Amino acid sequence: MEGTFTHREEDHARQFLQWYELMLTIRRFEEQTIEWYQRGLIGGSLHPAIGQEAIAVGALDAVRPTDYMTMTYRGRGQALAKGASLEGVMAEVLGKASGLCKGKGGPMHITDVTHGIIGANAIVAAGIPIAVGAALAAHLAGDGRIAVTFFGDGAVNQGVFHEALNLAAIWTLPIVFVCENNLYSEMTPIREMVKNEAVSERAAAYRIPAAVVDGNDVAAVAETVGMAIDRARSGGGPTFIEALTYRFVGHMVGDPETYRSREEVAQWREKDPILQARRRIEAEGWATPESLTALDDRVTARIRTAAEQVLQAPEPDLEERLADVY
Amino acid sequence: MSISDTDRTMAQALNDALREEMERDPRVFLMGEDIGHYGGVFGVTRGLFAQFGPERVRDTPISESGFIGAAIGAAAAGWRPVVEIMWIDFAMVAMDQIVNQAAKMRYMSGGQLKIPLVIRTQEGAGRGNGAQHSQSLESMFAQVPGLKVVAPSNPRDAKALLKAAIREDSPVLFIEHKLLYGFRGPVLPTDEVVPLGIASVVRPGSDVTILSLSRMVHFCLEAAQKLANMGIEAEVIDLRSVQPWDIDAVAKSVQKTGRLVIVHEAHRSFGWGAEIAATLAERGFDHLLAPIRRVCSDDVPFPYNRQLERAVMPDPQRIVTTVQELLRDYP
């Protein structure tokens, strides 16, 4: 018995370290793209998910590559956690020919069909009914797939959010709605835009079970969303998860963040999901501080190598602009 | 046109196309408001619920944005949904899903995604339905790269074009006309599929080309008959698809007749007729003996009052008068 326990404990440690590495990869990836944006290498706007990595990693832990996913313009981390290639996402952010979308989608429209990623969306809440449709496809096919859709707190005030929840409920579809509540609906506190700040209570109106989870605790997210995924896969229908979190950076790079205080950001930085995970690993003795530093160096080196490679990659052929319309 | 055994109404022809495509391809399924047991407000899906069941003939809430979004997701996952939007005016509720999502997903994904989605809907005035149930909005959709736009005028085309639309890998707005559902005509019993983007010469002529689609084709034919009685031979072309549109067929006809009158029920300004006129102008006026004329709906919302409504829309007499004036001024 003791041996079995140790074995499980080892599994858990290994899994936790994998989560940690993936969160760190997303963090370093986002930092790299911010640097590129500031150097003028990225067009339009860039919306990093720094501070929200535990939701992507935890929620997608039990999700299979064949499962469907939609997410938002803040969704590069989720793409990586779903299995998209680091180089492919990076190249897409830079608009390169080798990008997942041949450079025609950009950072807000990451898509990777081979990993079930049917699209990040630049329209708030618009990916939610699309994920419901993918869940409908899974239901019609009876193939055991599920759909996961990520959206922010701002999305809950869009009409189509409600339409999508209702459809998933009446048709008992295999889908998990993951609301990343980072307290700000773009540049406005969500509390000023809703009468009821308990966003998850909206699910009850559609008779969809809901749970609230600490979105900065990767293990808690994995456990809670994991149950929802099991429920979806076994025909139990949709679940709504509200993951409470905070983005440490602006809505987009260059956002002056006049809507919140430095103190508030600093308080949340204390709850950094990666920092928390590291403390937990050290407290449990799953890894030494030295090996964690070495891990961090490896992740940083991996990002740097990929970045150097992708920066050299060719731009799309100009004829490419006319392809893939119909 | 004599009525024979193979004659079907427009609604029946559309129903045949849906049934045959659903029998042919198990990935084809229908969604929409009141399309199941009720059979659709215009009866197009009648009997399909009984044959295919609630999974493949899926009633939806009044939630156009939601269920078009769901159809897009299912299409992205390899299914071939055919969605009914009861009135084209209601599609405005779902414009984000149609314009920002369905039309662009293939392009934004670098060709990874296909969205084989058909949005069946109906448009047109003349029934006293007022401003929010009478519009002809095909031009608006034709302006969006990534969407195809079809509007048939008769049962045979309706069936063959709907089959083609269902087999398309791109989103198609399939626009029926509310006053044509009862129109009867021959339908081929064969599995005829007419590729989108090919016009049809429905009446040959040599003096003037009259170009239109959907219900207006019938107005043009009526006008052409009157003109023939006056010794004017009009060639009537049914464009059938607005996006893509058959520039070769139009150019060929204008080369022959030297005169072009465009007739559409959509509003005049920025309507598809303007695009066609502009394209012909860019190609050169060499073959034109006269300026291009348009007979379109006035640039006003459709009024409820039947006399006002009729005055806003094109009618056969206005087409006749326009052609007469054109031949008088540019003989």
Tab-separated table of all heavy atoms in Angstrom, chain B residues 224-279:
chain	number	residue	atom	x	y	z
B	224	ALA	N	-41.050	41.851	-71.092
B	224	ALA	CA	-40.505	41.449	-72.390
B	224	ALA	C	-41.634	41.055	-73.344
B	224	ALA	O	-41.579	41.340	-74.549
B	224	ALA	CB	-39.526	40.297	-72.214
B	225	GLN	N	-42.654	40.417	-72.798
B	225	GLN	CA	-43.806	40.034	-73.627
B	225	GLN	C	-44.510	41.278	-74.167
B	225	GLN	O	-44.834	41.370	-75.352
B	225	GLN	CB	-44.758	39.175	-72.784
B	225	GLN	CG	-45.910	38.571	-73.561
B	225	GLN	CD	-45.408	37.743	-74.741
B	225	GLN	OE1	-44.551	36.872	-74.588
B	225	GLN	NE2	-45.918	38.036	-75.944
B	226	LYS	N	-44.711	42.260	-73.296
B	226	LYS	CA	-45.342	43.517	-73.727
B	226	LYS	C	-44.492	44.224	-74.767
B	226	LYS	O	-45.004	44.764	-75.755
B	226	LYS	CB	-45.552	44.439	-72.518
B	226	LYS	CG	-46.689	44.002	-71.612
B	226	LYS	CD	-46.885	44.976	-70.458
B	226	LYS	CE	-48.014	44.497	-69.546
B	226	LYS	NZ	-48.052	45.230	-68.281
B	227	LEU	N	-43.173	44.212	-74.527
B	227	LEU	CA	-42.258	44.872	-75.470
B	227	LEU	C	-42.290	44.159	-76.822
B	227	LEU	O	-42.246	44.800	-77.874
B	227	LEU	CB	-40.833	44.877	-74.894
B	227	LEU	CG	-40.610	45.826	-73.712
B	227	LEU	CD1	-39.325	45.477	-72.965
B	227	LEU	CD2	-40.575	47.285	-74.179
B	228	ALA	N	-42.398	42.839	-76.782
B	228	ALA	CA	-42.443	42.069	-78.027
B	228	ALA	C	-43.668	42.465	-78.845
B	228	ALA	O	-43.602	42.565	-80.080
B	228	ALA	CB	-42.473	40.577	-77.722
B	229	ASN	N	-44.752	42.742	-78.143
B	229	ASN	CA	-45.968	43.180	-78.841
B	229	ASN	C	-45.762	44.526	-79.523
B	229	ASN	O	-46.504	44.888	-80.419
B	229	ASN	CB	-47.146	43.259	-77.864
B	229	ASN	CG	-47.499	41.882	-77.307
B	229	ASN	OD1	-47.150	40.866	-77.908
B	229	ASN	ND2	-48.176	41.861	-76.175
B	230	MET	N	-44.750	45.259	-79.054
B	230	MET	CA	-44.436	46.568	-79.656
B	230	MET	C	-43.285	46.440	-80.650
B	230	MET	O	-42.757	47.442	-81.130
B	230	MET	CB	-44.008	47.558	-78.561
B	230	MET	CG	-45.036	47.774	-77.482
B	230	MET	SD	-44.255	48.701	-76.116
B	230	MET	CE	-45.438	48.404	-74.826
B	231	GLY	N	-42.829	45.205	-80.861
B	231	GLY	CA	-41.747	44.992	-81.821
B	231	GLY	C	-40.353	45.129	-81.226
B	231	GLY	O	-39.366	45.245	-81.951
B	232	ILE	N	-40.256	45.115	-79.896
B	232	ILE	CA	-38.945	45.204	-79.249
B	232	ILE	C	-38.601	43.834	-78.668
B	232	ILE	O	-39.385	43.281	-77.880
B	232	ILE	CB	-38.940	46.267	-78.124
B	232	ILE	CG1	-39.241	47.657	-78.707
B	232	ILE	CG2	-37.600	46.262	-77.380
B	232	ILE	CD1	-39.543	48.711	-77.650
B	233	GLU	N	-37.452	43.297	-79.072
B	233	GLU	CA	-37.065	41.972	-78.600
B	233	GLU	C	-36.056	42.099	-77.455
B	233	GLU	O	-34.896	42.456	-77.657
B	233	GLU	CB	-36.452	41.156	-79.748
B	233	GLU	CG	-37.495	40.676	-80.757
B	233	GLU	CD	-38.636	39.880	-80.116
B	233	GLU	OE1	-38.377	39.105	-79.174
B	233	GLU	OE2	-39.799	40.076	-80.546
B	234	ALA	N	-36.537	41.802	-76.264
B	234	ALA	CA	-35.674	41.897	-75.077
B	234	ALA	C	-35.094	40.526	-74.742
B	234	ALA	O	-35.794	39.512	-74.812
B	234	ALA	CB	-36.467	42.431	-73.898
B	235	GLU	N	-33.820	40.510	-74.401
B	235	GLU	CA	-33.197	39.289	-73.866
B	235	GLU	C	-33.260	39.377	-72.347
B	235	GLU	O	-32.782	40.351	-71.768
B	235	GLU	CB	-31.747	39.187	-74.335
B	235	GLU	CG	-31.036	37.964	-73.786
B	235	GLU	CD	-29.976	37.439	-74.748
B	235	GLU	OE1	-30.349	36.990	-75.846
B	235	GLU	OE2	-28.786	37.507	-74.410
B	236	VAL	N	-33.859	38.381	-71.720
B	236	VAL	CA	-33.988	38.404	-70.263
B	236	VAL	C	-32.990	37.419	-69.661
B	236	VAL	O	-32.986	36.235	-70.017
B	236	VAL	CB	-35.427	38.067	-69.824
B	236	VAL	CG1	-35.530	38.058	-68.302
B	236	VAL	CG2	-36.412	39.083	-70.410
B	237	ILE	N	-32.161	37.923	-68.788
B	237	ILE	CA	-31.172	37.067	-68.123
B	237	ILE	C	-31.500	36.971	-66.640
B	237	ILE	O	-31.754	37.982	-65.978
B	237	ILE	CB	-29.744	37.618	-68.307
B	237	ILE	CG1	-29.373	37.586	-69.793
B	237	ILE	CG2	-28.746	36.836	-67.485
B	237	ILE	CD1	-27.945	37.971	-70.067
B	238	ASP	N	-31.497	35.739	-66.154
B	238	ASP	CA	-31.652	35.478	-64.720
B	238	ASP	C	-30.244	35.274	-64.154
B	238	ASP	O	-29.574	34.287	-64.477
B	238	ASP	CB	-32.504	34.212	-64.543
B	238	ASP	CG	-32.737	33.877	-63.072
B	238	ASP	OD1	-32.101	34.504	-62.196
B	238	ASP	OD2	-33.550	32.959	-62.807
B	239	LEU	N	-29.808	36.195	-63.352
B	239	LEU	CA	-28.426	36.142	-62.848
B	239	LEU	C	-28.213	34.934	-61.912
B	239	LEU	O	-27.121	34.382	-61.820
B	239	LEU	CB	-28.101	37.449	-62.115
B	239	LEU	CG	-26.634	37.773	-61.879
B	239	LEU	CD1	-25.835	37.861	-63.173
B	239	LEU	CD2	-26.478	39.048	-61.067
B	240	ARG	N	-29.244	34.568	-61.166
B	240	ARG	CA	-29.259	33.405	-60.246
B	240	ARG	C	-28.303	33.514	-59.062
B	240	ARG	O	-28.679	33.221	-57.933
B	240	ARG	CB	-29.005	32.075	-60.989
B	240	ARG	CG	-30.039	31.825	-62.082
B	240	ARG	CD	-30.106	30.369	-62.502
B	240	ARG	NE	-28.975	29.957	-63.298
B	240	ARG	CZ	-28.923	28.831	-63.997
B	240	ARG	NH1	-29.940	27.996	-63.977
B	240	ARG	NH2	-27.861	28.521	-64.707
B	241	SER	N	-27.059	33.891	-59.301
B	241	SER	CA	-26.108	34.090	-58.191
B	241	SER	C	-25.595	35.523	-58.248
B	241	SER	O	-25.254	36.002	-59.322
B	241	SER	CB	-24.894	33.171	-58.331
B	241	SER	OG	-25.286	31.831	-58.286
B	242	VAL	N	-25.570	36.165	-57.104
B	242	VAL	CA	-25.015	37.519	-57.029
B	242	VAL	C	-23.515	37.453	-56.712
B	242	VAL	O	-22.733	38.291	-57.119
B	242	VAL	CB	-25.718	38.354	-55.942
B	242	VAL	CG1	-25.298	39.811	-56.025
B	242	VAL	CG2	-27.228	38.243	-56.066
B	243	GLN	N	-23.152	36.445	-55.929
B	243	GLN	CA	-21.737	36.259	-55.589
B	243	GLN	C	-21.430	34.781	-55.634
B	243	GLN	O	-21.938	34.071	-54.770
B	243	GLN	CB	-21.449	36.859	-54.216
B	243	GLN	CG	-20.046	36.688	-53.726
B	243	GLN	CD	-19.019	37.374	-54.615
B	243	GLN	OE1	-18.393	36.708	-55.433
B	243	GLN	NE2	-18.873	38.673	-54.474
B	244	PRO	N	-20.686	34.246	-56.568
B	244	PRO	CA	-20.103	34.987	-57.692
B	244	PRO	C	-21.157	35.300	-58.756
B	244	PRO	O	-22.165	34.601	-58.835
B	244	PRO	CB	-19.080	33.988	-58.249
B	244	PRO	CG	-19.616	32.644	-57.883
B	244	PRO	CD	-20.342	32.816	-56.587
B	245	TRP	N	-20.918	36.331	-59.548
B	245	TRP	CA	-21.875	36.617	-60.612
B	245	TRP	C	-21.224	36.404	-61.968
B	245	TRP	O	-20.018	36.515	-62.121
B	245	TRP	CB	-22.487	38.005	-60.471
B	245	TRP	CG	-21.571	39.190	-60.667
B	245	TRP	CD1	-20.763	39.760	-59.726
B	245	TRP	CD2	-21.403	39.965	-61.855
B	245	TRP	NE1	-20.098	40.835	-60.255
B	245	TRP	CE2	-20.475	40.990	-61.562
B	245	TRP	CE3	-21.964	39.900	-63.144
B	245	TRP	CZ2	-20.083	41.936	-62.503
B	245	TRP	CZ3	-21.565	40.852	-64.074
B	245	TRP	CH2	-20.636	41.856	-63.745
B	246	ASP	N	-22.080	36.092	-62.933
B	246	ASP	CA	-21.622	35.586	-64.225
B	246	ASP	C	-21.342	36.741	-65.180
B	246	ASP	O	-22.165	37.097	-66.019
B	246	ASP	CB	-22.699	34.650	-64.782
B	246	ASP	CG	-22.209	33.833	-65.964
B	246	ASP	OD1	-21.168	34.183	-66.533
B	246	ASP	OD2	-22.901	32.855	-66.311
B	247	ILE	N	-20.174	37.309	-65.054
B	247	ILE	CA	-19.831	38.472	-65.876
B	247	ILE	C	-19.798	38.103	-67.359
B	247	ILE	O	-20.200	38.904	-68.212
B	247	ILE	CB	-18.498	39.094	-65.411
B	247	ILE	CG1	-18.215	40.370	-66.196
B	247	ILE	CG2	-17.343	38.110	-65.500
B	247	ILE	CD1	-17.135	41.228	-65.628
B	248	ASP	N	-19.356	36.887	-67.654
B	248	ASP	CA	-19.252	36.503	-69.071
B	248	ASP	C	-20.615	36.470	-69.748
B	248	ASP	O	-20.763	36.947	-70.872
B	248	ASP	CB	-18.571	35.136	-69.189
B	248	ASP	CG	-17.115	35.197	-68.734
B	248	ASP	OD1	-16.546	36.320	-68.764
B	248	ASP	OD2	-16.570	34.163	-68.343
B	249	ALA	N	-21.590	35.913	-69.046
B	249	ALA	CA	-22.929	35.830	-69.639
B	249	ALA	C	-23.510	37.219	-69.865
B	249	ALA	O	-24.131	37.487	-70.900
B	249	ALA	CB	-23.843	35.016	-68.731
B	250	VAL	N	-23.301	38.110	-68.905
B	250	VAL	CA	-23.841	39.469	-69.036
B	250	VAL	C	-23.117	40.203	-70.171
B	250	VAL	O	-23.765	40.820	-71.038
B	250	VAL	CB	-23.695	40.241	-67.702
B	250	VAL	CG1	-24.167	41.686	-67.859
B	250	VAL	CG2	-24.489	39.543	-66.597
B	251	ALA	N	-21.797	40.100	-70.200
B	251	ALA	CA	-21.021	40.786	-71.237
B	251	ALA	C	-21.402	40.267	-72.622
B	251	ALA	O	-21.545	41.055	-73.572
B	251	ALA	CB	-19.528	40.597	-70.975
B	252	LYS	N	-21.582	38.965	-72.717
B	252	LYS	CA	-21.920	38.374	-74.006
B	252	LYS	C	-23.271	38.899	-74.515
B	252	LYS	O	-23.424	39.239	-75.691
B	252	LYS	CB	-21.985	36.849	-73.846
B	252	LYS	CG	-22.100	36.075	-75.139
B	252	LYS	CD	-22.085	34.581	-74.839
B	252	LYS	CE	-22.702	33.825	-76.010
B	252	LYS	NZ	-23.109	32.474	-75.647
B	253	SER	N	-24.224	38.986	-73.620
B	253	SER	CA	-25.553	39.454	-74.009
B	253	SER	C	-25.509	40.935	-74.409
B	253	SER	O	-26.111	41.345	-75.409
B	253	SER	CB	-26.538	39.235	-72.855
B	253	SER	OG	-27.805	39.716	-73.196
B	254	VAL	N	-24.777	41.716	-73.618
B	254	VAL	CA	-24.703	43.159	-73.905
B	254	VAL	C	-23.969	43.402	-75.228
B	254	VAL	O	-24.304	44.328	-75.976
B	254	VAL	CB	-24.027	43.903	-72.729
B	254	VAL	CG1	-23.741	45.353	-73.080
B	254	VAL	CG2	-24.914	43.829	-71.495
B	255	GLN	N	-23.002	42.537	-75.524
B	255	GLN	CA	-22.318	42.632	-76.817
B	255	GLN	C	-23.306	42.498	-77.963
B	255	GLN	O	-23.183	43.141	-78.990
B	255	GLN	CB	-21.298	41.495	-76.935
B	255	GLN	CG	-19.862	41.958	-76.806
B	255	GLN	CD	-18.915	40.775	-76.835
B	255	GLN	OE1	-18.999	39.929	-77.714
B	255	GLN	NE2	-18.033	40.724	-75.849
B	256	LYS	N	-24.272	41.646	-77.737
B	256	LYS	CA	-25.267	41.372	-78.783
B	256	LYS	C	-26.301	42.496	-78.872
B	256	LYS	O	-26.633	42.958	-79.950
B	256	LYS	CB	-25.953	40.032	-78.473
B	256	LYS	CG	-26.973	39.611	-79.494
B	256	LYS	CD	-27.443	38.173	-79.276
B	256	LYS	CE	-28.282	38.047	-78.013
B	256	LYS	NZ	-28.911	36.717	-77.910
B	257	THR	N	-26.802	42.934	-77.699
B	257	THR	CA	-27.939	43.873	-77.706
B	257	THR	C	-27.491	45.332	-77.632
B	257	THR	O	-28.214	46.220	-78.092
B	257	THR	CB	-28.858	43.613	-76.499
B	257	THR	OG1	-28.123	43.886	-75.300
B	257	THR	CG2	-29.361	42.173	-76.502
B	258	GLY	N	-26.354	45.601	-77.013
B	258	GLY	CA	-25.859	46.977	-76.896
B	258	GLY	C	-26.576	47.809	-75.840
B	258	GLY	O	-26.236	48.973	-75.632
B	259	ARG	N	-27.565	47.234	-75.191
B	259	ARG	CA	-28.307	48.000	-74.178
B	259	ARG	C	-28.563	47.117	-72.949
B	259	ARG	O	-28.856	45.933	-73.097
B	259	ARG	CB	-29.651	48.484	-74.733
B	259	ARG	CG	-29.531	49.413	-75.925
B	259	ARG	CD	-30.900	49.772	-76.494
B	259	ARG	NE	-30.765	50.509	-77.738
B	259	ARG	CZ	-30.646	49.923	-78.945
B	259	ARG	NH1	-30.642	48.597	-79.065
B	259	ARG	NH2	-30.522	50.671	-80.035
B	260	LEU	N	-28.468	47.730	-71.765
B	260	LEU	CA	-28.653	46.941	-70.538
B	260	LEU	C	-29.564	47.669	-69.555
B	260	LEU	O	-29.341	48.845	-69.240
B	260	LEU	CB	-27.290	46.673	-69.872
B	260	LEU	CG	-27.331	45.926	-68.539
B	260	LEU	CD1	-27.887	44.509	-68.695
B	260	LEU	CD2	-25.936	45.863	-67.905
B	261	VAL	N	-30.577	46.957	-69.131
B	261	VAL	CA	-31.441	47.450	-68.052
B	261	VAL	C	-31.348	46.431	-66.914
B	261	VAL	O	-31.532	45.231	-67.127
B	261	VAL	CB	-32.907	47.592	-68.523
B	261	VAL	CG1	-33.814	47.957	-67.351
B	261	VAL	CG2	-33.003	48.652	-69.612
B	262	ILE	N	-30.993	46.911	-65.738
B	262	ILE	CA	-30.858	46.034	-64.572
B	262	ILE	C	-32.073	46.244	-63.664
B	262	ILE	O	-32.427	47.390	-63.364
B	262	ILE	CB	-29.556	46.344	-63.793
B	262	ILE	CG1	-28.340	46.156	-64.714
B	262	ILE	CG2	-29.440	45.459	-62.565
B	262	ILE	CD1	-27.041	46.701	-64.151
B	263	VAL	N	-32.681	45.150	-63.273
B	263	VAL	CA	-33.900	45.233	-62.459
B	263	VAL	C	-33.671	44.484	-61.155
B	263	VAL	O	-33.367	43.288	-61.173
B	263	VAL	CB	-35.103	44.604	-63.209
B	263	VAL	CG1	-36.371	44.725	-62.362
B	263	VAL	CG2	-35.296	45.269	-64.573
B	264	HIS	N	-33.754	45.163	-60.034
B	264	HIS	CA	-33.731	44.431	-58.760
B	264	HIS	C	-34.632	45.052	-57.710
B	264	HIS	O	-34.880	46.244	-57.703
B	264	HIS	CB	-32.315	44.147	-58.261
B	264	HIS	CG	-31.431	45.316	-57.968
B	264	HIS	ND1	-31.738	46.293	-57.052
B	264	HIS	CD2	-30.195	45.631	-58.449
B	264	HIS	CE1	-30.715	47.155	-56.970
B	264	HIS	NE2	-29.783	46.792	-57.821
B	265	GLU	N	-35.088	44.155	-56.845
B	265	GLU	CA	-36.003	44.576	-55.792
B	265	GLU	C	-35.229	45.192	-54.622
B	265	GLU	O	-35.818	45.859	-53.768
B	265	GLU	CB	-36.794	43.338	-55.319
B	265	GLU	CG	-38.196	43.676	-54.889
B	265	GLU	CD	-38.957	42.451	-54.400
B	265	GLU	OE1	-38.953	41.417	-55.099
B	265	GLU	OE2	-39.548	42.539	-53.314
B	266	ALA	N	-33.937	44.953	-54.583
B	266	ALA	CA	-33.107	45.608	-53.569
B	266	ALA	C	-33.093	47.106	-53.853
B	266	ALA	O	-33.342	47.541	-54.980
B	266	ALA	CB	-31.690	45.046	-53.620
B	267	HIS	N	-32.798	47.881	-52.828
B	267	HIS	CA	-32.744	49.332	-53.011
B	267	HIS	C	-31.731	49.694	-54.085
B	267	HIS	O	-30.748	48.988	-54.293
B	267	HIS	CB	-32.385	50.027	-51.696
B	267	HIS	CG	-33.379	49.755	-50.608
B	267	HIS	ND1	-34.701	50.095	-50.713
B	267	HIS	CD2	-33.249	49.156	-49.408
B	267	HIS	CE1	-35.351	49.719	-49.620
B	267	HIS	NE2	-34.488	49.137	-48.808
B	268	ARG	N	-31.988	50.825	-54.740
B	268	ARG	CA	-31.161	51.223	-55.867
B	268	ARG	C	-29.706	51.506	-55.436
B	268	ARG	O	-28.774	50.938	-56.010
B	268	ARG	CB	-31.748	52.512	-56.482
B	268	ARG	CG	-30.814	53.225	-57.462
B	268	ARG	CD	-31.426	54.518	-57.951
B	268	ARG	NE	-32.653	54.240	-58.678
B	268	ARG	CZ	-32.717	54.087	-60.009
B	268	ARG	NH1	-31.644	54.233	-60.741
B	268	ARG	NH2	-33.865	53.822	-60.591
B	269	SER	N	-29.526	52.353	-54.422
B	269	SER	CA	-28.171	52.821	-54.096
B	269	SER	C	-27.315	51.692	-53.540
B	269	SER	O	-27.712	51.021	-52.576
B	269	SER	CB	-28.231	53.960	-53.083
B	269	SER	OG	-28.927	55.037	-53.655
B	270	PHE	N	-26.173	51.496	-54.141
B	270	PHE	CA	-25.216	50.466	-53.730
B	270	PHE	C	-25.776	49.049	-53.868
B	270	PHE	O	-25.259	48.110	-53.282
B	270	PHE	CB	-24.700	50.728	-52.304
B	270	PHE	CG	-24.134	52.101	-52.149
B	270	PHE	CD1	-24.888	53.138	-51.603
B	270	PHE	CD2	-22.867	52.390	-52.616
B	270	PHE	CE1	-24.389	54.421	-51.508
B	270	PHE	CE2	-22.361	53.673	-52.526
B	270	PHE	CZ	-23.114	54.693	-51.968
B	271	GLY	N	-26.841	48.916	-54.628
B	271	GLY	CA	-27.377	47.591	-54.923
B	271	GLY	C	-26.467	46.867	-55.900
B	271	GLY	O	-25.573	47.475	-56.505
B	272	TRP	N	-26.705	45.575	-56.105
B	272	TRP	CA	-25.800	44.799	-56.956
B	272	TRP	C	-25.790	45.293	-58.397
B	272	TRP	O	-24.812	45.100	-59.130
B	272	TRP	CB	-26.057	43.308	-56.871
B	272	TRP	CG	-27.444	42.813	-57.182
B	272	TRP	CD1	-28.430	42.503	-56.289
B	272	TRP	CD2	-27.993	42.543	-58.481
B	272	TRP	NE1	-29.552	42.056	-56.938
B	272	TRP	CE2	-29.310	42.064	-58.293
B	272	TRP	CE3	-27.520	42.645	-59.782
B	272	TRP	CZ2	-30.157	41.707	-59.346
B	272	TRP	CZ3	-28.355	42.285	-60.848
B	272	TRP	CH2	-29.659	41.823	-60.618
B	273	GLY	N	-26.862	45.965	-58.794
B	273	GLY	CA	-26.895	46.525	-60.151
B	273	GLY	C	-25.780	47.533	-60.365
B	273	GLY	O	-25.206	47.640	-61.460
B	274	ALA	N	-25.464	48.270	-59.316
B	274	ALA	CA	-24.393	49.262	-59.414
B	274	ALA	C	-23.056	48.583	-59.664
B	274	ALA	O	-22.226	49.061	-60.447
B	274	ALA	CB	-24.337	50.089	-58.132
B	275	GLU	N	-22.847	47.443	-59.034
B	275	GLU	CA	-21.598	46.704	-59.215
B	275	GLU	C	-21.472	46.217	-60.654
B	275	GLU	O	-20.403	46.284	-61.270
B	275	GLU	CB	-21.561	45.515	-58.240
B	275	GLU	CG	-20.394	44.572	-58.429
B	275	GLU	CD	-19.049	45.226	-58.193
B	275	GLU	OE1	-18.999	46.218	-57.444
B	275	GLU	OE2	-18.050	44.756	-58.791
B	276	ILE	N	-22.582	45.738	-61.183
B	276	ILE	CA	-22.557	45.227	-62.547
B	276	ILE	C	-22.335	46.369	-63.540
B	276	ILE	O	-21.519	46.259	-64.467
B	276	ILE	CB	-23.853	44.429	-62.818
B	276	ILE	CG1	-23.698	43.072	-62.114
B	276	ILE	CG2	-24.099	44.257	-64.319
B	276	ILE	CD1	-24.924	42.237	-62.077
B	277	ALA	N	-23.013	47.476	-63.314
B	277	ALA	CA	-22.830	48.640	-64.190
B	277	ALA	C	-21.384	49.121	-64.137
B	277	ALA	O	-20.777	49.423	-65.174
B	277	ALA	CB	-23.783	49.753	-63.765
B	278	ALA	N	-20.836	49.152	-62.936
B	278	ALA	CA	-19.451	49.625	-62.780
B	278	ALA	C	-18.470	48.674	-63.461
B	278	ALA	O	-17.518	49.110	-64.122
B	278	ALA	CB	-19.113	49.761	-61.294
B	279	THR	N	-18.721	47.385	-63.317
B	279	THR	CA	-17.811	46.407	-63.924
B	279	THR	C	-17.838	46.534	-65.449
B	279	THR	O	-16.785	46.501	-66.110
B	279	THR	CB	-18.192	44.982	-63.491
B	279	THR	OG1	-18.200	44.935	-62.072
B	279	THR	CG2	-17.212	43.959	-64.019
